[in-house]
Amino acid sequence: MTLSETIPIFASYFIFEFLFMKKIVVALDGNSGCGKSSTAKVLARKLKFIYIDTGAMYRAVTLFFLKNHIDLKNDLDVEQALKEIDISFQYNMESGKNETFLNGKNVEREIRKMEVSNLVSPVSEISRVRRKLVEQQRRLGEGNSVVMDGRDIGTVVFPNADLKIFMTAELEVRAFRRQKELKEQGTLVELQDVIDNLKKRDEIDSSRDDSPLKKADDAHVIDTSKLTFDEQVDQILDLIHEKIGIA
Ligand code: DC
């Protein structure tokens, strides 16, 4: 084989390697209860990316604070508590889901309870908490192709994400879906209580000083109010295909 024949083979090998090795970040932000987590989970499975639920991390910190009666206004208590918190994820083969572990204990179900939902936004307002979790989120994203969902992924955690999606839906639609989800997990909650919780969380999440929930300038907005679950997944897959050239 001559040199001129070998060069194109090497060149295509390196192009393939580059494309294959490129780590992709898909950032999925939006209001509470608009289906980010379920969508992100399916996207990650289809793309063979890692799914990171950053809301679960704020929920795990909240659970720790609740259990240990941490006063959110006491900086020293908060600082000390954060040193004692270790959050990790483990894939459960049976459920096919990534589950959240707090200091080695599976807390996946506990963190979804209303008492955690009612305190998670005030906890997420604390800059110390955000600093610790954002650092871990960036580490989790390093060297991996990920779908990460949250409130500040496209604006703060990964401002250079390859694709940014901002999901939203009407409040009542979101509340109805969340109530159904809770019911499937065995928890009955009045629709009005879910509406109040989502509304309050949206307000706190969007108005806090540190990393408020807002659409990144370059994010694509998807309103899921009138979309079926499959339609919302397909819309995002189309965008991934269009922007990144995969899926
Ligand atoms: O996605 P979720 O509903 O499980 O998130 C719970 C709360 O965590 C949400 O009300 C705000 C907070 N959160 C945040 O401040 N930043 C993130 N990246 C993810 C969640």
Side-chain angles (χ1 to χ4, degrees):
M1 195 179 280
T2 65
L3 188 62
S4 56
E5 281 168 334
T6 326
I7 288 172
I9 294 172
F10 269 111
S12 44
Y13 170 77
F14 284 117
I15 290 167
F16 174 79
E17 273 292 282
F18 173 77
L19 289 174
F20 192 72
M21 298 298 285
K22 181 163 162 44
K23 302 301 173 208
I24 287 160
V25 175
V26 177
L28 216 65
D29 290 304
N31 302 99
S32 296
C34 61
K36 295 185 301 293
S37 313
S38 348
T39 308
K41 237 175 265 169
V42 172
L43 286 174
R45 201 180 59 229
K46 289 193 178 226
L47 296 163
K48 299 198 170 50
F49 286 9
I50 292 173
Y51 165 53
I52 298 159
D53 175 357
T54 64
M57 299 170 82
Y58 288 92
R59 285 171 180 274
V61 170
T62 306
L63 181 66
F64 185 93
F65 283 8
L66 270 170
K67 288 205 159 160
N68 294 280
H69 311 287
I70 304 299
D71 175 4
L72 304 190
K73 297 205 163 54
N74 185 326
D75 290 350
L76 284 178
D77 273 12
V78 169
E79 182 78 49
Q80 182 54 35
L82 286 174
K83 286 188 189 141
E84 293 167 26
I85 293 177
D86 175 65
I87 300 168
S88 56
F89 294 102
Q90 269 180 41
Y91 187 73
N92 180 334
M93 300 277 259
E94 265 174 46
S95 64
K97 288 178 188 162
N98 245 348
E99 296 185 331
T100 315
F101 283 69
L102 171 62
N103 294 335
K105 181 177 174 247
N106 188 332
V107 290
E108 186 56 38
R109 286 177 76 84
E110 250 180 302
I111 58 169
R112 310 287 163 193
K113 295 199 168 148
M114 280 307 270
E115 54 171 339
V116 173
S117 296
N118 286 332
L119 191 71
V120 67
S121 284
V123 169
S124 322
E125 275 187 284
I126 304 171
S127 291
R128 276 191 168 76
V129 172
R130 303 204 71 81
R131 269 203 304 275
K132 176 180 166 103
L133 297 188
V134 168
E135 201 184 292
Q136 187 179 358
Q137 288 153 15
R138 288 189 178 138
R139 260 187 281 123
L140 288 169
E142 257 167 37
N144 292 308
S145 284
V146 294
V147 179
M148 196 174 275
D149 82 323
R151 305 293 186 286
D152 58 343
I153 311 305
T155 50
V156 175
V157 184
F158 287 111
N160 297 321
D162 300 270
L163 182 69
K164 299 180 190 177
I165 308 286
F166 191 85
M167 279 174 74
T168 181
E170 286 156 19
L171 179 63
E172 283 71 18
V173 176
R174 291 190 273 135
F176 185 74
R177 288 178 186 160
R178 180 51 61 91
Q179 185 198 37
K180 190 166 163 262
E181 208 174 86
L182 285 166
K183 195 173 166 196
E184 281 162 8
Q185 291 162 10
T187 313
L188 296 177
V189 190
E190 291 292 331
L191 187 63
Q192 193 55 49
D193 289 344
V194 187
I195 291 180
D196 293 345
N197 172 265
L198 293 181
K199 207 167 158 187
K200 199 161 161 211
R201 283 207 281 145
D202 279 351
E203 271 162 27
I204 302 178
D205 295 345
S206 321
S207 63
R208 66 178 174 229
D209 292 333
D210 191 342
S211 326
L213 162 69
K214 68 168 192 234
K215 184 186 103 56
D217 293 339
D218 50 349
H220 300 262
V221 179
I222 297 195
D223 184 335
T224 68
S225 308
K226 297 195 172 74
L227 297 180
T228 64
F229 182 72
D230 287 346
E231 283 169 344
Q232 73 200 37
V233 170
D234 285 346
Q235 279 201 9
I236 300 177
L237 282 174
D238 284 349
L239 281 170
I240 292 174
H241 183 64
E242 210 176 280
K243 299 275 156 196
I244 309 174
I246 54 167

Coordinates of all heavy atoms in Angstrom, one line a residue, residues 29 31-33 36-37 53-56 58-59 112 117 120-121 124-125 130 137 149-153 157 178 201-202 205 208 211, ligand 1:
D29 N -33.6 21.8 31.2 CA -34.1 22.6 32.3 C -35.6 22.9 32.2 O -36.1 22.7 31.1 CB -33.3 24.0 32.4 CG -31.9 23.8 32.8 OD1 -31.6 23.2 33.9 OD2 -31.0 24.2 32.0
N31 N -39.6 24.1 34.4 CA -40.4 24.2 35.7 C -40.5 22.8 36.3 O -40.3 21.8 35.7 CB -41.8 24.7 35.3 CG -41.8 26.0 34.6 OD1 -41.9 26.1 33.4 ND2 -41.6 27.1 35.4
S32 N -41.0 22.9 37.6 CA -41.2 21.7 38.4 C -42.4 20.9 37.7 O -43.4 21.5 37.4 CB -41.6 22.0 39.8 OG -40.5 22.6 40.5
G33 N -42.2 19.6 37.6 CA -43.3 18.8 37.2 C -43.7 18.8 35.7 O -44.8 18.4 35.3
K36 N -39.5 16.6 33.0 CA -38.1 16.6 32.6 C -37.4 15.2 32.9 O -36.7 14.7 32.1 CB -37.3 17.7 33.4 CG -37.7 19.1 33.1 CD -36.8 20.1 33.8 CE -36.8 19.9 35.3 NZ -38.0 20.3 35.9
S37 N -37.6 14.8 34.2 CA -36.9 13.6 34.6 C -37.3 12.4 33.7 O -36.4 11.6 33.2 CB -37.2 13.2 36.0 OG -37.0 14.3 36.8
D53 N -30.0 13.2 37.4 CA -31.1 13.9 37.9 C -30.6 14.8 39.0 O -30.5 14.4 40.2 CB -32.1 12.8 38.5 CG -33.3 13.4 39.2 OD1 -33.4 14.6 39.3 OD2 -34.2 12.6 39.6
T54 N -30.4 16.1 38.7 CA -29.8 17.0 39.7 C -30.9 17.4 40.8 O -30.5 17.7 41.9 CB -29.2 18.3 39.0 OG1 -30.3 19.0 38.4 CG2 -28.2 17.9 38.0
G55 N -32.2 17.3 40.4 CA -33.2 17.6 41.4 C -33.1 16.6 42.5 O -33.3 16.9 43.7
A56 N -32.8 15.3 42.2 CA -32.6 14.3 43.2 C -31.5 14.6 44.2 O -31.6 14.3 45.4 CB -32.4 12.9 42.6
Y58 N -30.6 17.8 45.1 CA -31.1 18.8 46.0 C -32.1 18.2 47.0 O -32.2 18.5 48.2 CB -31.8 19.9 45.3 CG -30.7 20.8 44.6 CD1 -30.3 20.5 43.3 CD2 -30.1 21.8 45.3 CE1 -29.4 21.3 42.6 CE2 -29.1 22.6 44.7 CZ -28.7 22.3 43.3 OH -27.7 23.0 42.7
R59 N -32.9 17.2 46.5 CA -33.8 16.5 47.4 C -33.1 15.7 48.5 O -33.5 15.6 49.6 CB -34.7 15.5 46.5 CG -35.8 16.3 45.7 CD -36.5 15.4 44.8 NE -37.5 16.1 44.0 CZ -38.7 16.3 44.4 NH1 -39.2 15.8 45.6 NH2 -39.6 17.0 43.7
R112 N -38.9 11.6 47.2 CA -40.0 12.1 46.3 C -41.2 12.5 47.2 O -42.3 12.9 46.7 CB -40.5 11.0 45.4 CG -39.3 10.4 44.6 CD -38.8 11.3 43.5 NE -37.5 10.8 43.0 CZ -36.7 11.6 42.3 NH1 -37.0 12.8 41.9 NH2 -35.5 11.1 41.9
S117 N -40.5 17.6 49.1 CA -40.9 18.6 48.1 C -41.2 20.0 48.7 O -40.9 21.0 48.1 CB -42.2 18.1 47.3 OG -41.9 16.9 46.6
V120 N -37.6 21.6 49.6 CA -36.5 21.5 48.7 C -36.1 22.9 48.1 O -34.9 23.2 47.9 CB -36.6 20.4 47.6 CG1 -37.8 20.6 46.7 CG2 -35.4 20.1 46.9
S121 N -37.1 23.7 47.8 CA -36.8 25.0 47.1 C -36.0 25.9 48.1 O -35.0 26.5 47.7 CB -38.0 25.6 46.5 OG -38.4 25.0 45.3
S124 N -32.6 24.7 48.2 CA -31.8 25.0 46.9 C -31.5 26.5 46.7 O -30.7 26.8 45.8 CB -32.7 24.6 45.7 OG -33.4 23.5 45.9
E125 N -32.0 27.3 47.6 CA -31.7 28.7 47.5 C -30.3 29.0 48.2 O -29.7 30.0 47.9 CB -32.7 29.5 48.3 CG -33.9 29.9 47.5 CD -34.8 30.9 48.4 OE1 -35.5 30.4 49.3 OE2 -34.8 32.1 48.1
R130 N -25.7 24.9 46.7 CA -25.5 24.9 45.2 C -24.1 24.7 44.8 O -23.8 23.9 43.9 CB -26.0 26.2 44.6 CG -27.5 26.6 45.0 CD -28.1 27.5 43.9 NE -28.3 26.8 42.7 CZ -29.3 26.0 42.4 NH1 -30.3 25.8 43.3 NH2 -29.4 25.3 41.3
Q137 N -21.9 17.9 40.1 CA -22.6 17.7 38.8 C -21.5 17.8 37.6 O -21.6 17.1 36.7 CB -23.7 18.7 38.6 CG -24.9 18.4 39.5 CD -25.7 19.6 39.9 OE1 -25.6 20.6 39.3 NE2 -26.6 19.4 40.9
D149 N -30.8 16.8 33.9 CA -31.9 17.7 34.1 C -31.9 18.5 35.4 O -31.4 18.0 36.4 CB -33.2 16.9 33.9 CG -33.7 16.2 35.1 OD1 -32.8 15.7 35.8 OD2 -34.9 16.1 35.3
G150 N -32.5 19.7 35.3 CA -32.5 20.5 36.5 C -33.1 21.9 36.3 O -34.1 22.0 35.5
R151 N -32.5 22.9 36.9 CA -33.0 24.3 36.7 C -32.0 25.2 36.1 O -32.3 26.2 35.5 CB -33.5 24.9 38.1 CG -34.5 24.0 38.8 CD -35.8 24.0 38.1 NE -36.8 23.3 38.9 CZ -36.9 22.0 39.1 NH1 -36.0 21.2 38.5 NH2 -37.9 21.5 39.8
D152 N -30.7 24.9 36.3 CA -29.6 25.8 36.0 C -28.5 25.0 35.1 O -27.4 25.4 35.1 CB -28.9 26.3 37.2 CG -28.4 25.2 38.1 OD1 -28.8 24.0 37.9 OD2 -27.6 25.5 39.0
I153 N -28.9 23.9 34.5 CA -27.9 23.1 33.8 C -27.3 23.9 32.6 O -26.1 24.0 32.4 CB -28.4 21.7 33.4 CG1 -29.1 21.1 34.6 CG2 -27.3 20.9 32.8 CD1 -28.3 20.9 35.8
V157 N -24.4 25.2 35.2 CA -23.5 24.0 35.3 C -22.8 23.7 34.0 O -21.5 23.5 34.1 CB -24.4 22.7 35.7 CG1 -23.6 21.5 36.0 CG2 -25.3 23.0 37.0
R178 N -48.1 15.2 38.1 CA -47.4 14.9 39.3 C -48.2 14.1 40.3 O -47.8 13.1 40.9 CB -46.9 16.2 39.9 CG -46.1 16.0 41.2 CD -44.9 15.1 41.2 NE -43.8 15.3 40.2 CZ -42.8 16.0 40.5 NH1 -42.6 16.6 41.6 NH2 -41.8 16.2 39.5
R201 N -42.9 26.4 44.4 CA -41.5 26.0 44.0 C -41.0 26.8 42.8 O -39.9 27.3 42.7 CB -41.4 24.5 43.7 CG -41.3 23.7 45.0 CD -40.6 22.4 44.8 NE -41.5 21.4 44.2 CZ -41.0 20.5 43.3 NH1 -39.8 20.5 43.0 NH2 -41.8 19.6 42.8
D202 N -42.0 27.0 41.8 CA -41.6 27.8 40.6 C -41.2 29.2 41.0 O -40.3 29.8 40.5 CB -42.8 27.9 39.7 CG -43.0 26.7 38.8 OD1 -42.1 25.8 38.8 OD2 -44.0 26.5 38.2
D205 N -37.8 29.1 42.9 CA -36.8 28.7 42.0 C -36.4 29.8 41.0 O -35.3 29.9 40.6 CB -37.1 27.4 41.2 CG -37.3 26.2 42.1 OD1 -36.8 26.3 43.3 OD2 -37.9 25.2 41.7
R208 N -34.9 33.2 43.1 CA -33.7 33.2 44.0 C -32.5 34.0 43.3 O -32.4 34.1 42.1 CB -33.3 31.8 44.4 CG -32.8 31.0 43.2 CD -32.4 29.6 43.6 NE -32.1 28.8 42.4 CZ -32.5 27.6 42.1 NH1 -33.3 27.0 42.9 NH2 -32.1 27.1 41.0
S211 N -28.3 31.4 40.8 CA -28.7 30.5 39.7 C -30.2 30.3 39.6 O -30.7 29.1 39.7 CB -28.0 29.1 39.9 OG -26.8 29.2 40.5
Ligands
DC1 O1 -36.5 18.4 39.5 P1 -37.1 18.3 40.9 O2 -38.5 18.8 41.0 O3 -36.9 17.0 41.5 O4 -36.2 19.4 41.8 C1 -36.5 19.6 43.1 C2 -36.0 21.0 43.5 O5 -34.6 21.1 43.4 C3 -36.6 22.1 42.6 O6 -37.8 22.7 43.2 C4 -35.5 23.2 42.6 C5 -34.2 22.4 43.0 N1 -33.3 22.3 41.9 C6 -32.4 23.3 41.7 O7 -32.5 24.4 42.3 N2 -31.5 23.2 40.7 C7 -31.4 22.1 40.0 N3 -30.4 22.0 39.0 C8 -32.3 21.0 40.2 C9 -33.2 21.1 41.1

